[in-house]
Amino acid sequence: MAELNFKNRTLYHGDNLEFLRGMNSETVHLIATDPPFNKNRDHHATPDSLAAGARFKDRWRWDEDVHEEWTDSIQDDWPAAHGVIAGARLAYGDNMAAFLCWMGVRLMEMHRVLRPDGSLYLHTDDTAFAYLKVLLDAIFGADNLRGQIVWQRYGSHNDAKKFGRVCDLILFYAKDGKGVWNGAWTPLDKDYVRRTYRKQDQRGRYRTAPLHTGGLSGGGYTYEFRGHTRTWRYPLERMRELEADNRIAQARDGKGVPERKVYLNESKGRPASNVWTDIKALTGNHKERTGYPTQKPLALYERMIRASSNEGDIVLDPFCGCATTPIAAERLKRQWVGMDIWDGAYTQVMERMERDTVLRVDDKNHVSLPQVYYETEPPRRTDKNELAAPSLKLRTPRGVEPWEKLTHRQMVKVLVYAQRSNGNVICAGCGRELEREFMELDHIQPRADGGENHIRNRILLCRPCNGRKGQYLTLRGLIRENKQAGWLKDEGLAQMAREAARERADWVRDDFDSEECQALIDGS
């Protein structure tokens, strides 16, 4: 297991992105979290409640909430995720794209800090579910989706001029496609209990009729599993063989097939499906309610934690808000780490720790709360400082020069100036002279082969060339592919564009502080 650089029961107060970036890679067993849903409204806690004063903004604007560093990172290191965000921007608008960008950089870090057998449960609703699902497919891999859980919060709900919204959705991914799985159960149906557990013993316990733990019955082999009987059907010849074996065993042992009585209180319940109807939202004066606007029931998160982690495992919630995940983890004897930007998060955790968990009692019957660590600074990485992208591993972190910090927009300005021709731009892959709108920024040496993001490893290509090059071809490989496909128009012009781009990039590196260079970068 990777080295931990944080303590059990730590609550980080502030923007969770910096805290996630500070955690060592592959240290967390399970992430169960309830992030904002992009509902385009503000949420406030009820007055005079445990969470009084809590509020958060669930609305997003591209110009206000998206950092250029985020878009650069996503475009460079997770091109599939960048495509999802770009598609959402076209189909839904800037606000949804801003939300996905904001979530995307955090989901990439969550993927990094999860152990190889770690799992993620992401709580959402139908507002952004479709886009979040595709975004997670791009980050975790579509094949690693373990389930889409429908949680029915209410029995009924009246929404004007449409079907009542009674459900939330939970996306469940395992980093390696398998993860830890302990199973999950829901209560037995009342009608089933009434039909099956008909008998009552002298102690008042309801039980089934006596069951054979293994034996022949009614044309099949009957066995008991999880408190229920099952029968395997066999061809007639195989049935006769089993009957003969069973008689021989009984004659040898001097006794028949043992019987077992199954009691109702021994049953774990029914294996859970992906539709959960037995846990309802916290309404009215429910004892768990704190007044936090989006609080979820403990039973909901306890089910996820039981199913996908073991005692002692580390559970993370980067949006822990009303402390449901930390409290559920504490009750189930897991370690936990929480993060939230709300100023009252620590008080919320401590008050719920006292109210909703099992308190410690020492030898002198003194009751005390577990130690919770409150931190406002991110942990310091002690691992190899791997980045969130799977192909990027900086074994020895080094200082970054100012010229290496140019944004996408600034690099495009420099390269357009270098590759320009008669008011157009020359594609460095095929030699076509096209308008600026048809050119895209790409890497000369792919990121998958260790290529870096600075301007000396960047070039402008037309859209067809950029698509053909993909994530793995070098620029030389692209030229070769263009020749074979008959797409290479003017190799001499393409070579001239590459040389001009390299010369201009070297000039930016060597004369970065000059007025001329700064004017070009700033576009003045």
Side-chain angles (χ1 to χ4, degrees), residues 266-315:
E266 294 177 349
S267 175
K268 291 182 179 179
R270 181 178 56 186
S273 68
N274 66 343
V275 179
W276 296 354
T277 62
D278 58 301
I279 302 173
K280 298 304 180 184
L282 304 178
T283 58
N285 294 321
H286 194 286
K287 63 180 181 179
E288 288 183 27
R289 278 180 62 87
T290 65
Y292 199 85
T294 58
Q295 183 182 354
K296 303 301 186 296
L298 280 170
L300 186 68
Y301 280 75
E302 285 178 346
R303 179 171 293 172
M304 304 176 206
I305 293 171
R306 281 196 186 96
S308 297
S309 70
N310 299 311
E311 289 188 7
D313 285 354
I314 299 171
V315 179

Side-chain angles (χ1 to χ4, degrees), residues 42 360 412:
D42 295 340
R360 292 178 173 182
V412 168

